[in-house]
Amino acid sequence: GAGVSQSPSNKVTEKGKDVELRCDPISGHTALYWYRQSLGQGLEFLIYFQGNSAPDKSGLPSDRFSAERTGGSVSTLTIQRTQQEDSAVYLCASSQLIRDNQHFGDGTRLSIL
Amino acid sequence: AQRVTQPEKLLSVFKGAPVELKCNYSYSGSPELFWYVQYSRQRLQLLLRHISRESIKGFTADLNKGETSFHLKKPFAQEEDSAMYYCALSLFSGGYNKLIFGAGTRLAVHP
């Protein structure tokens, strides 16, 4: 069956540009999470969605970061005015119920020049 | 503050040797801990969680609340165990499951 799908798999952009990362969770999974993995670091929690609402945005590093989820399915993470420190792998995960195992996508590798 | 520490970035062993990947956590509540694994060119996947008390692919992990540790062990390493291993702490509060990850340990098993 289809797992969590993320696109693009790689994104290279210039500093100052906006980028949009997409996550398509497993069908029927109500919980969706975004994490970031910077070089040499563990995964860092960014934001959580339950349905279309985001009860916890505390992990978003700055106001340049925003995320939305529509139809209880696809989510987009937007980074405005990108900076070099935004370079990382952005991972999305989904779970059917809150305490279920989180299933991860392959991630989007973002490189800011 | 909640934290997960994996002190080794790289653990290199020979096939058949015992393996112990260390994980320590800092959390004032009742911890729920996980080990995730990422094989080369594959996505991150759950290996085991402490509440299941399972042995997956020969790996086990015991929660030691006194030492705040959740070390991952395998008595005889195999080459196919070579991967990146992440320990994670679940903060189930506010009605959702927020995972705090360690920095990861790369396990290299040599023939």
Side-chain angles (χ1 to χ4, degrees):
Chain A
V4 176
S5 177
Q6 291 188 246
S7 61
S9 54
N10 281 284
K11 177 73 176 177
V12 181
T13 193
E14 293 178 347
K15 176 182 169 181
K17 301 283 189 184
D18 297 352
V19 295
E20 201 170 89
L21 312 179
R22 177 188 167 107
C23 172
D24 204 338
I26 293 172
S27 178
H29 281 196
T30 58
L32 186 147
Y33 303 81
W34 283 98
Y35 295 88
R36 178 170 73 171
Q37 186 174 29
S38 303
L39 189 64
Q41 311 265 339
L43 282 77
E44 170 192 14
F45 168 83
L46 296 179
I47 189 170
Y48 155 76
F49 284 93
Q50 180 60 35
N52 291 334
S53 65
D56 187 351
K57 304 178 183 178
S58 64
L60 295 177
S62 75
D63 58 9
R64 295 185 294 104
F65 287 71
S66 63
E68 65 174 13
R69 188 179 185 194
T70 55
S73 182
V74 171
S75 175
T76 54
L77 177 68
T78 301
I79 309 173
Q80 295 178 308
R81 305 180 304 281
T82 52
Q83 303 294 313
Q84 287 187 334
E85 62 262 26
D86 299 334
S87 296
V89 176
Y90 290 81
L91 287 168
C92 176
S94 71
S95 66
Q96 186 168 27
L97 299 174
I98 292 170
R99 298 202 84 146
D100 284 350
N101 173 35
Q102 294 181 25
H103 298 263
F104 284 82
D106 287 327
T108 293
R109 183 175 296 278
L110 177 64
S111 300
I112 309 299
L113 302 178
Chain B
Q2 304 91 0
R3 185 182 297 121
V4 175
T5 303
Q6 294 180 251
E8 303 141 326
K9 287 189 176 179
L10 172 66
L11 185 62
S12 188
V13 301
F14 287 103
K15 177 182 171 182
V19 167
E20 183 180 52
L21 298 160
K22 291 185 168 51
C23 172
N24 288 89
Y25 66 91
S26 173
Y27 182 49
S28 58
S30 184
E32 188 167 344
L33 287 144
F34 303 77
W35 277 99
Y36 280 82
V37 61
Q38 188 168 27
Y39 300 102
S40 179
R41 286 185 285 279
Q42 294 187 28
R43 58 187 59 184
L44 193 67
Q45 58 187 284
L46 179 68
L47 180 62
L48 54 82
R49 57 196 300 179
H50 92 270
I51 59 172
S52 301
R53 302 188 67 82
E54 296 173 297
S55 173
I56 305 294
K57 299 185 179 183
F59 285 97
T60 58
D62 291 318
L63 177 62
N64 185 323
K65 292 186 179 180
E67 295 183 357
T68 60
S69 68
F70 188 57
H71 303 328
L72 183 68
K73 299 178 184 179
K74 185 169 182 176
F76 307 104
Q78 303 299 313
E79 288 180 68
E80 55 265 29
D81 296 328
S82 296
M84 196 74 185
Y85 291 81
Y86 295 94
C87 182
L89 168 69
S90 172
L91 302 182
F92 184 71
S93 63
Y96 71 98
N97 188 10
K98 176 177 174 178
L99 292 175
I100 305 296
F101 285 86
T105 298
R106 181 169 297 283
L107 175 64
V109 182
H110 303 286

